[in-house]
Amino acid sequence: MSSPGESSGSLEHGKVYLGLRFLGLVIVCLTLMFADHQKDHLSLVRQALGVVIYPVRALVDLPFKTWNWASSNLETRSAMLAENQRLNSALLNASVRLQQLATLEAENIRLRAILDSSARVRERVLIAEILSVDLNPYRQRFIINRGTNSGVYVGQALLDADGVVGQIVRADPFSAEVVLISDADHSVPVSVIRNGLRTFAVGTGDSKRLRLPYLTNSADIQVDDLLVSSGLGGVFPSGYPVARVLQVVLQPGQFFAEVFAEPVSELDHDREVMLVWTTEDSQEATNLAAEVQ
Amino acid sequence: MESSWSEAFLPLGTLIIALLLSILPLPEVIVSFRPDWVAIVLIYWSLFKPGRFGFLTAFWLGLVLDTLYGSLLGQHALALLTVTYITRHFHLRIRVFPIWQMSVTVLALLVLYEFLLFWVDGVAARTVPAIDRWAPVAIGALLWPLIFASMSRLLGTKEREI
């Protein structure tokens, strides 16, 4: 009837058939959503789909990657020299501090051994690159180019040069999805480095702001306090900087104060992040302590 | 008849381009205005090639979108399926509409699409700001004449004037 290529037998029959097929697929969709929402029943399906769509993501990322590659390759000699010098001095700076750190670490382990408290957690890191693809704009998430093939697991913590970035929420063989600490559904257990006060930093959906909703008006917190991860909850390793307090609004009529903090990591400018593996390597720690003594 | 080029590769190619466009990084200012490319292109094909692109295409594309966006598996699939079904049911009527009327119809279809996504987000208790949702719908409907014109040119005008 409409186009010559379309073969329509009995029209009524066709409509019923279409309706049934539509209904069948809708039921499949609803079942999928239910199963996906309830638990991790579909992680295998998701992993398979993740592998299938990896080329799409890689294709979108390609021009950006090429541009970065080209711009770093076509830098002038003088710029390279300047950067080299800067990096050298930064490295020198860092290694001087590191010398102290070795002694401090040894001392710390010895003291902990004396106090009989749990051994220090050791960490292994791997650098991952962020793919230039957009996810749902309403959520603070991104994709990295490492997956379960590199040992990435769900719940793993991510850091950048300045502090805590987020954690892995989904991993397939070649890539993984990260939720940032600023996502509205995410919170980090933190403690104030000045006095050890423990609380939670909850995301707001804005990459420049975290909220500390569980602090009373009388809590000892000031603007510019540094919040570090407290290690409670077992996802984020303890002692990494998370945010700096931006604003403390006391609310006399309310029980809780309104406190906002700004993440120290460059959540919206990062191109590379570090994946962290924490291992409770107590044997190694005691060995090290014994060595020092 | 046209060669198999426009028959097979054109729809597939445009759908893949729509997928790429829907995850292309945009500046933060305009990122919440990104039209639902996949839905729009799928509406086009179910209007003008209803025999070739059916529910299974919509279903798989939806699953791919769900994986790309990290949303609930089946969410975009359900929305795309419903839009495809309605478009297909009325395709003979819609495709003789004048262009502005067609845009209004597309607007209604996109509103339905976003509403379904919004509704699933709500049922699954995922926090999503409600207001940002409707800009892509408006942009999509405004872009429709442009998309319609360029796609029809690609398809070849012969097939369109039936």
Side-chain angles (χ1 to χ4, degrees), chain B residues 6-126:
Chain B
S6 71
E7 283 287 311
F9 291 108
L10 187 63
L12 210 65
T14 49
L15 285 172
I16 287 172
I17 289 170
L19 272 179
L20 295 181
L21 280 176
S22 45
I23 58 164
L24 188 76
L26 292 178
E28 213 164 315
V29 195
I30 54 167
V31 77
S32 58
F33 293 97
R34 185 205 305 273
D36 304 302
W37 291 112
V38 175
I40 295 169
V41 173
L42 204 63
I43 289 174
Y44 183 88
W45 289 118
S46 25
L47 278 179
F48 295 102
K49 287 261 183 234
R52 292 192 59 88
F53 284 89
F55 302 137
L56 271 178
T57 318
F59 177 73
W60 284 115
L61 267 177
L63 287 190
V64 168
L65 266 185
D66 285 325
T67 321
L68 282 176
Y69 282 150
S71 52
L72 213 55
L73 212 60
Q75 183 180 16
H76 284 84
L78 177 71
L80 282 180
L81 263 177
T82 313
V83 167
T84 311
Y85 179 71
I86 293 174
T87 316
R88 196 160 167 175
H89 197 265
F90 294 109
H91 74 278
L92 290 179
R93 249 175 276 183
I94 297 171
R95 68 183 183 186
V96 293
F97 279 168
I99 190 75
W100 65 270
Q101 211 171 336
M102 219 191 240
S103 294
V104 173
T105 317
V106 170
L107 180 74
L109 286 169
L110 289 176
V111 165
L112 176 73
Y113 174 78
E114 279 294 338
F115 177 77
L116 281 171
L117 294 181
F118 181 55
W119 177 68
V120 172
D121 270 338
V123 172
R126 297 195 165 196

Side-chain angles (χ1 to χ4, degrees), chain A residues 110-171:
Chain A
R110 195 168 52 77
L111 289 174
R112 272 172 188 275
I114 291 170
L115 289 173
D116 218 17
S117 71
S118 69
R120 233 184 93 82
V121 173
R122 311 210 121 231
E123 285 118 24
R124 185 165 74 83
V125 295
L126 174 73
I127 290 182
E129 225 171 278
I130 296 174
L131 292 187
S132 291
V133 296
D134 267 5
L135 289 181
N136 204 329
Y138 319 118
R139 324 197 76 195
Q140 298 269 321
R141 289 169 184 229
F142 58 67
I143 303 284
I144 56 170
N145 70 343
R146 304 274 185 180
T148 48
N149 280 356
S150 316
V152 173
Y153 59 91
V154 172
Q156 189 172 18
L158 277 102
L159 311 172
D160 72 359
D162 301 307
V164 174
V165 171
Q167 59 173 298
I168 304 282
V169 283
R170 192 168 292 137

Side-chain angles (χ1 to χ4, degrees), chain A residues 84-98:
Chain A
N84 200 320
Q85 206 158 24
R86 194 175 56 75
L87 288 177
N88 260 332
S89 65
L91 180 65
L92 195 65
N93 234 325
S95 44
V96 168
R97 285 208 194 166
L98 207 60

Side-chain angles (χ1 to χ4, degrees), chain A residues 138-139 183-186, chain B residues 121-122 124-130 133:
Chain A
Y138 319 118
R139 324 197 76 195
D183 188 279
D185 288 341
H186 190 268
Chain B
D121 270 338
R126 297 195 165 196
T127 34
V128 164
R133 291 229 149 198

